[in-house]
Amino acid sequence: MFDEMLSSQSEDGREPYKKLLAWLNSQDLKKLSTKSATAEELFRRVGITFNVYGDKEAEERLIPFDLIPRILSADEWRGLERGIIQRVAAINAFLNDIYNGQEIIKAGIIPADLIYKNKAFLPQMCGFTPPGGVYTHIVGVDIVRTGPNDFFVLEDNARVPSGVSYMLENRSTMQHMFPELFTTHQIKPISGYPKELFKSLSSCAKTNTSDPNIVVLTPGIFNSAYYEHSFLADEMGVELVQGSDLEICDGRVMIRTTAGTETVDVIYRRVDDEFLDPLSFNPNSLLGTPGLFDAYRNGSVILANAPGTGIADDKAIYSYVPEIIRFYTGERALLNNIPTWRCAEADNLSYVLDHLNELVVKEVHGSGGYGMLVGPAASKRELAAFARKLRANPGKYVAQPTLALSTVPILTKSGLAPRHVDLRPFVLVSPDSIKVTPGGLTRVALKKGSLVVNSSQGGGTKDTWVLGS
């Protein structure tokens, strides 16, 4: 098991952690625990919460925060950054292709059924290219680590990735609690993210207007990520709106304000495709705006991310990403995928059923850690029940080996203890550039031995430092 702080022949720890480890060794852990309680109170006061669907006893929760930072060296980050940019560029090229020429299907790289029978594929997007050719304006790429130089992409989040507000608030809290650490470490800043997001979205509209009106579209206060929606709107200085605040007039999207109506140029939408427009998608949707998709198709407004981008983060498509990268860039993928068995294929299904107790099985369209099986942690009864699900609907699932994920220390009641982590860096895509914010959101499994880091499943977060060179 690779521990990112301690897996070193030196008692001083691995190089990126040496100063932090020395500082930790000089601290009174009881005082650190007090600081941890103070940090929790700060989060509570600011209102940094998330909602859990289906949990009546705790619909709104405080996201657990661990105050021991995770650290990446400058060299480690450079390698990750190059791989992420390559991957995101290929995903955009893939989306442009499958909604236009479909050359990757014609070349036999991706099976046609995997696209056409996929509920995330939107035929309404066919023949249309968003301004600047940008489909995924904001992307989150989930990465896990198993060794000093062994990073793997766990999944891509090309629809509306959440978590950037926690990344920013974690950093703000750490700077407030431990300012001395920021004078002894050369840590790359992340506070400019909202400004970069605004610039990136504005640049997508620059062919239409020099001063675009941007809004954040939210489903409302009951959405699990509502805090983030309001946070980003506030930080960018733009309006937070719901579908009922917008209307379509003469093909343009207008927002009602106390001073009248204004034209909207860019919508950073946090509403799922299905609910964006009842005239084009789900007719029962009360969250969207009638006529919005037609306004988008006629070019009068930009939707970020574009409808239909979910096809790129489908977990069956994920298994083809190395081939997707090679097809569109001619390059070998810089970041490794985790080996993946597509259960829709008979040979794969047979293997998965024979090795179910060794594998992690996920729903192709699942998220948030729901609907998955962690074989090594499952009981015989759970394995048998999941095998029945697999046989009944194999195309719904993929399986992967159980990796020995890296650990980093967290602060527990009995002191420091290792826990498994992943990392979600956030990427901004504009017509001119692809930028990755240094670091990202580290999610941590707070239970000993657990591999599930999702906040909806009891996971927490911590600040992620990328050191300067």
Side-chain angles (χ1 to χ4, degrees):
M1 190 81 68
F2 176 67
D3 188 279
E4 297 188 15
M5 182 167 79
L6 299 174
S7 289
S8 166
Q9 293 181 345
S10 167
E11 291 183 355
D12 297 332
R14 291 182 64 245
E15 187 62 37
Y17 280 86
K18 282 185 175 177
K19 288 181 182 175
L20 179 70
L21 182 56
W23 179 84
L24 285 169
N25 288 336
S26 69
Q27 298 299 302
D28 180 336
L29 290 180
K30 286 185 179 177
K31 288 184 179 177
L32 279 183
S33 295
T34 302
K35 288 267 193 179
S36 182
T38 304
E40 183 177 319
E41 182 55 32
L42 276 174
F43 276 69
R44 194 180 304 281
R45 204 177 304 158
V46 175
I48 306 171
T49 60
F50 68 101
N51 295 336
V52 180
Y53 298 126
D55 187 343
K56 292 181 180 177
E57 293 184 355
E59 288 184 342
E60 192 169 329
R61 294 182 184 173
L62 197 67
I63 191 164
F65 170 68
D66 179 72
L67 49 71
I68 310 298
R70 187 214 199 144
I71 305 178
L72 295 167
S73 70
D75 283 344
E76 289 169 346
W77 178 249
R78 270 192 288 271
L80 284 175
E81 186 179 40
R82 281 197 300 271
I84 291 168
I85 288 173
Q86 179 199 51
R87 192 173 182 98
V88 170
I91 285 173
N92 259 293
F94 167 70
L95 288 164
N96 186 51
D97 184 25
I98 62 160
Y99 285 119
N100 290 282
Q102 301 190 334
E103 297 300 329
I104 198 165
I105 297 175
K106 294 172 186 171
I109 307 294
I110 303 283
D113 280 356
L114 203 55
I115 302 296
Y116 299 140
K117 293 184 179 179
N118 196 312
K119 67 180 183 182
F121 177 72
L122 293 186
Q124 297 95 325
M125 284 292 291
C126 287
F128 173 72
T129 301
V134 179
Y135 288 80
T136 52
H137 306 75
I138 301 102
V139 185
V141 180
D142 291 353
I143 291 172
V144 295
R145 184 177 196 178
T146 59
N149 301 305
D150 302 315
F151 294 91
F152 295 85
V153 175
L154 183 63
E155 61 184 53
D156 305 288
N157 297 274
R159 307 178 200 208
V160 281
S162 294
V164 75
S165 59
Y166 304 121
M167 175 189 80
L168 295 168
E169 291 289 5
N170 288 351
R171 175 61 55 84
S172 175
T173 300
M174 287 296 291
Q175 288 175 319
H176 177 78
M177 304 285 296
F178 306 106
E180 69 274 20
L181 288 175
F182 290 82
T183 62
T184 55
H185 291 78
Q186 190 182 349
I187 303 165
K188 291 195 174 183
I190 58 172
S191 59
Y193 178 86
K195 187 178 178 182
E196 290 295 328
L197 173 61
F198 184 89
K199 282 172 57 181
S200 186
L201 293 174
S202 296
S203 68
C204 293
K206 66 184 179 184
T207 55
N208 297 332
T209 174
S210 59
D211 184 22
N213 189 8
I214 299 173
V215 300
V216 176
L217 176 63
T218 176
I221 60 172
F222 297 111
N223 184 266
S224 62
Y226 180 76
Y227 167 76
E228 178 155 297
H229 306 165
S230 60
F231 173 89
L232 288 174
D234 189 50
E235 289 290 313
M236 287 195 290
V238 305
E239 295 288 343
L240 177 67
V241 302
Q242 293 185 241
S244 57
D245 296 319
L246 304 175
E247 62 183 3
I248 310 300
C249 295
D250 298 326
R252 298 194 65 84
V253 180
M254 311 297 290
I255 179 175
R256 305 183 188 94
T257 72
T258 53
T261 58
E262 296 174 358
T263 302
V264 175
D265 302 296
V266 182
I267 300 175
Y268 177 24
R269 53 95 175 196
R270 301 295 295 259
V271 174
D272 292 344
D273 291 351
E274 182 183 359
F275 302 104
L276 270 177
D277 179 352
L279 298 183
S280 294
F281 305 111
N282 185 341
N284 298 317
S285 172
L286 300 176
L287 300 177
T289 304
L292 177 59
F293 188 69
D294 284 344
Y296 175 64
R297 288 268 309 190
N298 73 27
S300 68
V301 69
I302 289 170
L303 293 175
N305 290 350
T309 53
I311 186 71
D313 65 20
D314 174 278
K315 290 181 177 60
I317 295 292
Y318 157 90
S319 64
Y320 287 97
V321 170
E323 287 89 344
I324 288 172
I325 291 172
R326 187 174 293 279
F327 186 76
Y328 295 111
T329 70
E331 301 169 357
R332 181 183 64 82
L334 297 175
L335 289 175
N336 292 320
N337 260 27
I338 297 173
T340 301
W341 291 273
R342 294 183 289 271
C343 298
E345 298 171 21
D347 290 348
N348 285 353
L349 176 62
S350 177
Y351 178 87
V352 171
L353 289 170
D354 288 344
H355 298 82
L356 201 52
N357 62 335
E358 304 166 15
L359 302 173
V360 175
V361 187
K362 304 174 181 176
E363 291 183 0
V364 168
H365 299 296
S367 63
Y370 293 105
M372 65 186 287
L373 174 84
V374 181
S379 66
K380 287 184 178 178
R381 191 173 182 177
E382 289 168 329
L383 289 169
F386 216 94
R388 287 194 292 274
K389 286 185 184 178
L390 274 170
R391 289 191 183 95
N393 194 356
K396 188 178 175 182
Y397 298 97
V398 296
Q400 295 172 329
T402 309
L403 299 183
L405 303 187
S406 65
T407 58
V408 296
I410 69 166
L411 184 65
T412 70
K413 290 180 180 176
S414 54
L416 298 179
R419 293 292 186 271
H420 297 295
V421 290
D422 78 355
L423 177 67
R424 175 175 291 179
F426 293 94
V427 190
L428 296 176
V429 184
S430 71
D432 305 320
S433 67
I434 299 176
K435 294 184 178 178
V436 191
T437 302
L441 181 68
T442 287
R443 301 185 299 176
V444 54
L446 297 177
K447 295 179 183 174
K448 184 179 180 181
S450 174
L451 296 172
V452 182
V453 299
N454 306 77
S455 54
S456 55
Q457 306 289 311
T461 67
K462 52 171 60 212
D463 194 14
T464 310
W465 295 356
V466 173
L467 301 181
S469 52

